[in-house]
Amino acid sequence: MAKTIFITGASRGFGKIWAEAFLKRGDKVIATARNTESLDDLVAAYGDAILPIQLDVNNRDQVFAAIGQAKQHFGTIDVLINNAGYGLFGTIEETSEQEARDQIETNVFGLLWVTQAVLPVMRAQGHGHIIQVSSVLGIVTLPVLGLYNASKFAVEGLTETLATEVKGFGINVSLIEPNGFATDWAGASAASTTPMDVYEPVKAAFQAGLTDDIFGVPEATADAVLKLVDADNPPLRLFLGKVALPWVKQVYAGRIAEWEAWDEVASAAHGK
């Protein structure tokens, strides 16, 4: 059965790949982008099945207007995919106030505004699926991406809470947590801080760890996303890629060992 999908950040990368995958199989897509000219090829190929909307997710009023326009146009919004966001490369000390605020504004608040805007629509229709594009870096961290890590950790906490609040309305909630993929996320879509020489060894070590094999093929993710959208009982969390699960298992084993090693101190702090 055809679905109506609202996707933010659909101008390139995952957003555009997934939008086209939905359109190919007969779904309707509301595709948002800061510049909708990037969607002209999809409009030419799929006509009325796609509704492009110019949207800056940082503008809350604009977000609510876009959701209203989508609902009026197609009559329903079955799935929201919050994909808009970007990466800020640089160490924490290098990060300016504006860079930090911009990163959190887009990756956290932008996602929050779109989520808040779609919830009344989904509650009224008695069904829906909200999919937040997080990252494996919302669970584990890498140096040189501190503010990005922080933004995705926030998305994880917000979304896990949301899932418990809206299940009774017939709304499913999922987190997509990709490992690295060969999109332009680290290229034209990224921002960078002003470098400090003292952190060059940290950055060199980071770069040395970026082997070709850890980056997945973006187009290969489409089938997984279609399966997620079609699932009767979708998971709260879905990794994309083969690197994420082994990495997270290794990190969590270390975390649990450390918590257990300090459990006597922790328990004593309970006071009774």
Side-chain angles (χ1 to χ4, degrees):
M1 187 173 179
K3 292 181 168 66
T4 302
I5 322 287
F6 189 110
I7 307 179
T8 66
S11 62
R12 62 180 78 180
F14 285 145
K16 190 164 188 180
I17 290 167
W18 300 342
E20 185 161 19
F22 288 121
L23 290 164
K24 276 183 178 178
R25 71 172 196 173
D27 292 324
K28 295 180 174 62
V29 173
I30 305 99
T32 79
R34 286 175 180 261
N35 179 4
T36 56
E37 289 181 4
S38 60
L39 300 168
D40 285 352
D41 56 336
L42 296 184
V43 173
Y46 298 100
D48 293 342
I50 179 171
L51 174 65
I53 298 179
Q54 185 175 4
L55 178 63
D56 176 0
V57 296
N58 296 334
N59 185 323
R60 192 172 187 270
D61 290 340
Q62 200 177 104
V63 166
F64 275 74
I67 290 290
Q69 180 183 350
K71 172 65 167 64
Q72 184 175 26
H73 187 84
F74 284 126
T76 184
I77 302 174
D78 300 308
V79 180
L80 164 66
I81 301 181
N82 257 319
N83 173 65
Y86 70 96
L88 174 64
F89 286 78
T91 67
I92 289 169
E93 186 178 358
E94 291 170 345
T95 305
S96 71
E97 178 181 355
Q98 194 60 54
E99 288 166 337
R101 291 185 182 279
D102 288 348
Q103 178 76 124
I104 301 301
E105 187 73 35
T106 297
N107 290 8
V108 181
F109 285 105
L111 174 144
L112 174 60
W113 305 149
V114 185
T115 300
Q116 288 181 332
V118 85
L119 280 169
V121 175
M122 291 184 172
R123 279 193 293 103
Q125 64 195 19
H127 73 272
H129 191 179
I130 295 173
I131 299 173
Q132 318 283 42
V133 180
S134 179
S135 169
V136 67
L137 297 182
I139 303 170
V140 296
T141 65
L142 283 174
V144 192
L145 283 159
L147 268 295
Y148 180 80
N149 296 334
S151 73
K152 293 305 185 180
F153 268 67
V155 167
E156 294 275 329
L158 184 151
T159 303
E160 185 172 310
T161 305
L162 177 69
T164 65
E165 294 174 345
V166 302
K167 191 70 175 176
F169 302 126
I171 302 171
N172 292 312
V173 178
S174 299
L175 285 152
I176 289 178
E177 299 157 332
N179 53 221
F181 278 83
T183 66
D184 68 350
W185 176 82
S189 297
S192 297
T193 61
T194 301
M196 296 170 61
D197 290 344
V198 69
Y199 286 109
E200 285 310 308
V202 175
K203 294 177 182 179
F206 169 73
Q207 289 292 334
L210 301 180
T211 61
D212 286 343
D213 190 52
I214 69 172
F215 292 100
V217 178
E219 291 77 11
T221 63
D223 187 54
V225 173
L226 294 178
K227 288 177 179 176
L228 177 63
V229 165
D230 291 342
D232 292 331
N233 185 27
L236 174 60
R237 289 184 166 84
L238 174 66
F239 286 135
L240 292 182
K242 68 179 184 181
V243 175
L245 182 57
W247 182 18
V248 169
K249 288 171 74 173
Q250 179 183 29
V251 171
Y252 265 77
R255 288 179 183 176
I256 290 169
E258 188 169 62
W259 282 320
E260 288 178 340
W262 282 82
D263 184 56
E264 186 175 345
V265 175
S267 297
H270 195 67
K272 62 179 181 179

